[in-house]
Each structure stands twice: as structure tokens, then as C-alpha cells.
Amino acid sequence: MTQTTIPDGSAAPRPSVPDIDWANLGFSYIRTDWRYLAHWQDGAWDAGHLTEDNVLHISEGSTALHYGQQCFEGLKAYRCADGSVNLFRPDQNAARMARSCERVLMPAPSQAAFIDACRQVVRANDHFIPPYGTGGSLYLRPFVIGVGDNIGVRSAPEFLFGVFCIPVGPYFKGGLSPMNFVTSGYDRAAPHGTGAAKVGGNYAASLLPGQEAKARHFADAIYLDPETHTKIEEVGSANFFAITKGGSTFVTPSSPSILPSITKYSLLWLAEHRLGLKVREGDVPIDRLDEFSEAGACGTAAVITPIGGIQHGERFHVFHSETEAGPVTRRLYEELVGIQFGDREAPEGWIVKV
């Protein structure tokens, strides 16, 4: 394995960047130059290092492979108009990773170590950050996996903490254009299970219903609560929100099996403090969609995707429009993205400069 330690990125050679069409980036893997790895053994994490090797070398008995002992995060770095680079709320990603690690019995990197690893990776791959004005960003994927020689159903003897990055555009094609979704009869997660942890098993469970939704020409599946199948929980791999008729209240589901989206909680704050809306976390019954004038999916990858309509059984419900975002959704999007790219004032602690 090629290992090169470059604490501030300044010593990294700058090879020519591949010919990337920045304005038309999708959301797919692009190999960048540097990634970070740290190893946990004998009760402690090592100092970690940057490496050019994008292949993990792990034991065939690793618990991540057999028992799903792993978790991951997603956050972005943004190029600002002045050339500086913003990380958006990385402390919240570190905290959520710690909760996920606790749920599946893994040691978590400290908040300081998590943020430092992200900053190292962004600095070393600075030339892969999409230019300001293209709408693109540098997506970071931190992860922790159980590794080492093992075969029994137990926690791993060793762990890896890694961070890699890729330049990305919008997760859903079309940017802030409405997309249609269909409710699924499958469950994304079980009651009292791992739905609130960002672990891979939750996403593996979503592959089949997602494929079936797309085969029916919908963007993705909407998952209902696993106990009663009467309330909206998540939209594909994103959280759900809606705006009540009259535009007075921002509503988002509340459930122990929903992943607590950092984007969603940022939108809750912005809706209340910047847009002056009432906010509510609570049940969103699938048979009461008529109460809402707008709806959307939100998350780090998707940012905000307006929902044009939802197919549930034989009924197709349209919100604001199937062709354009509603006014409140657009204002929320502009406020959030403005903060991320440094064009609008950020609440205290939301931005970490790289």
C-alpha cells in the first residue's frame, strides 16, 4: 500500500485533474488522489495517514463483510466565491457517526479526529472541488468498518476509519425540479432496529423497492412506518418534509426508525428562524396528504428535491406542481445552499473553514 503523510496537503503533488465537465456532474464514483485511513487496535486509534491507494486490504473474516458491522457518513465541501472552502456542519456528522458506532458496537473517532480527517482529505484533493458557480461540491464519505481475523458473531478485533471524496453534482437529475415517488410495501427498517443509525444494512434493504419504483418510472420509493404502514417515514435514502396549505408550517415525520438527517434539522431551523414558519416534527399520515401544499425530500446528497406527486395504491396525489418547485421549498433551498456556498450568513457553528 502506498502511504504518504501530508498533514496540511501542501506537500501533495498536484497531478492534472481529469477532464471533468463541472456543470454536468452526476452522483457517481470518481477516483480522486488522496484518502485518509486510521486503524484501531489494542484499544486505541493510531495517528492515521493519507494514502493514494483506493483499495482496502482487509481480512476475509472481517465482521463488516459477514455481519454488517459498519457505518458511514456523508457531508460536503463547497467552494466559495472568494476561493475559500466550507465544510457544512461536520460536528453533526461526527456526532451521528458516534451514535451509529455505539449502536453496532464499534469505537468511534473523536469529533476532533473526524473533522481533522475530513479537512486533510479536502486540502489534499483541493483541485477536485468543483468551481464556485457550477452547483457542484466535493462529497466526503467517512466510514468505520469492523476488520481483522474473525468468524464468530461478535464485535471485531480491529477497525478502520476512512474518509474518501468525489466531486458531485445533484443526486437527482434536474436540480430543483419536482420528482414523483411511490409508496412501498417493503419496510426500510424495523421498529426498534437500526433505522436511526447510518448503517449499510438499511440501504441494502432499500435496493429492491427502489429498483421496483424506478421500473414503474418513479424517482424512488417512499417508506411508511414499519408498525402500521399508515405514516410517511423516509423518501428513498432521504428525509421527508411538507408545507401545510397556506404556507404556515414546516412538517417532518418523527420516528425512532428514521435517520436523523442533518439537512432536515438545518431546514427546521431555517424554516423557523429565517422564514418565520411554524415547525413540527410528528406523524404524517399517508391518507392526509391533502393538508399539504408542498413536499420534498432532503439530505446531504439530494439537498432538496421537490416532490411533485406521490402514488399510494390507486391514488396519485399532486402537491404544488409536477413541473416546478413550490415557493417555500425554493426559499428554503436558496437559504440552505446560500449558507453552504458562503453567500448567506451562516448560523454560529454551522461552517468550518478548510
Side-chain angles (χ1 to χ4, degrees):
M1 179 184 294
T2 302
Q3 298 178 355
T4 306
T5 300
I6 47 173
D8 64 357
S10 60
R14 281 205 175 185
S16 58
V17 180
D19 185 17
I20 295 175
D21 183 358
W22 297 113
N24 293 294
L25 274 174
F27 196 92
S28 59
Y29 183 84
I30 295 174
R31 180 173 177 172
T32 51
D33 292 333
W34 300 94
R35 66 274 310 135
Y36 176 94
L37 278 180
H39 184 202
W40 187 96
Q41 190 176 29
D42 299 326
W45 291 103
D46 66 16
H49 62 271
L50 289 171
T51 175
E52 295 175 275
D53 192 352
N54 73 331
V55 177
L56 296 177
H57 304 268
I58 63 175
S59 168
E60 62 189 354
S62 295
T63 59
L65 299 177
H66 302 280
Y67 307 123
Q69 192 180 32
Q70 59 86 255
C71 69
F72 67 98
E73 275 298 323
L75 67 158
K76 290 177 177 177
Y78 304 84
R79 178 77 70 192
C80 301
D82 63 2
S84 65
V85 178
N86 286 346
L87 279 176
F88 182 72
R89 309 194 75 179
D91 59 321
Q92 298 302 303
N93 291 95
R96 189 170 64 181
M97 172 167 273
R99 295 192 298 270
S100 296
C101 284
E102 181 180 20
R103 179 62 180 83
V104 292
L105 211 59
M106 299 192 297
S110 68
Q111 177 176 303
F114 180 98
I115 294 175
D116 178 65
C118 291
R119 294 176 78 176
Q120 286 192 50
V121 169
V122 174
R123 287 171 176 167
N125 293 286
D126 178 85
H127 47 299
F128 280 97
I129 302 174
Y132 174 80
T134 62
S137 55
L138 189 70
Y139 181 81
L140 303 179
R141 173 55 63 83
F143 60 88
V144 176
I145 61 174
V147 299
D149 296 329
N150 178 72
I151 199 62
V153 182
R154 54 178 172 265
S155 187
E158 303 173 34
F159 298 88
L160 289 179
F161 165 51
V163 183
F164 67 91
C165 67
I166 56 173
V168 299
Y171 185 76
F172 291 114
K173 300 294 184 185
L176 199 64
S177 297
M179 308 196 81
N180 297 330
F181 296 83
V182 60
T183 57
S184 175
Y186 290 98
D187 293 328
R188 172 187 163 271
H192 315 295
T194 59
K198 199 167 176 66
V199 295
N202 297 339
Y203 296 82
S206 74
L207 295 177
L208 178 59
Q211 177 179 274
E212 291 182 355
K214 290 164 188 171
R216 295 177 60 187
H217 306 291
F218 291 97
D220 210 331
I222 285 184
Y223 299 99
L224 304 178
D225 71 289
E227 289 189 294
T228 70
H229 286 195
T230 62
K231 298 171 286 189
I232 291 178
E233 288 217 334
E234 294 211 18
V235 185
S237 56
N239 276 194
F240 176 87
F241 72 87
I243 309 300
T244 57
K245 286 189 172 178
S248 64
T249 307
F250 178 101
V251 179
T252 187
S254 177
S255 165
S257 55
I258 292 176
L259 181 73
S261 165
I262 293 158
T263 303
K264 180 185 80 173
Y265 284 106
S266 300
L267 291 175
L268 274 165
W269 191 95
L270 292 172
E272 181 177 11
H273 296 92
R274 295 281 173 92
L275 273 64
L277 304 181
K278 298 176 184 177
V279 297
R280 175 172 65 85
E281 286 187 86
D283 292 344
V284 181
I286 189 63
D287 62 357
R288 290 167 59 181
L289 298 182
D290 289 338
E291 296 178 4
F292 306 107
S293 59
E294 301 178 40
C298 62
T300 297
V303 189
I304 293 178
T305 296
I307 296 177
I310 294 176
Q311 183 78 45
H312 178 60
E314 298 301 315
R315 184 189 182 207
F316 182 67
H317 177 84
V318 176
F319 293 96
H320 175 75
S321 166
E322 290 186 76
T323 59
E324 62 180 28
V328 178
T329 300
R330 185 171 294 279
R331 287 177 63 197
L332 284 168
Y333 177 85
E334 291 171 351
E335 195 70 32
L336 177 63
V337 172
I339 289 169
Q340 291 170 334
F341 282 100
D343 297 326
R344 302 197 181 191
E345 183 180 358
E348 184 176 357
W350 280 26
I351 296 297
V352 171
K353 284 291 184 183
V354 175

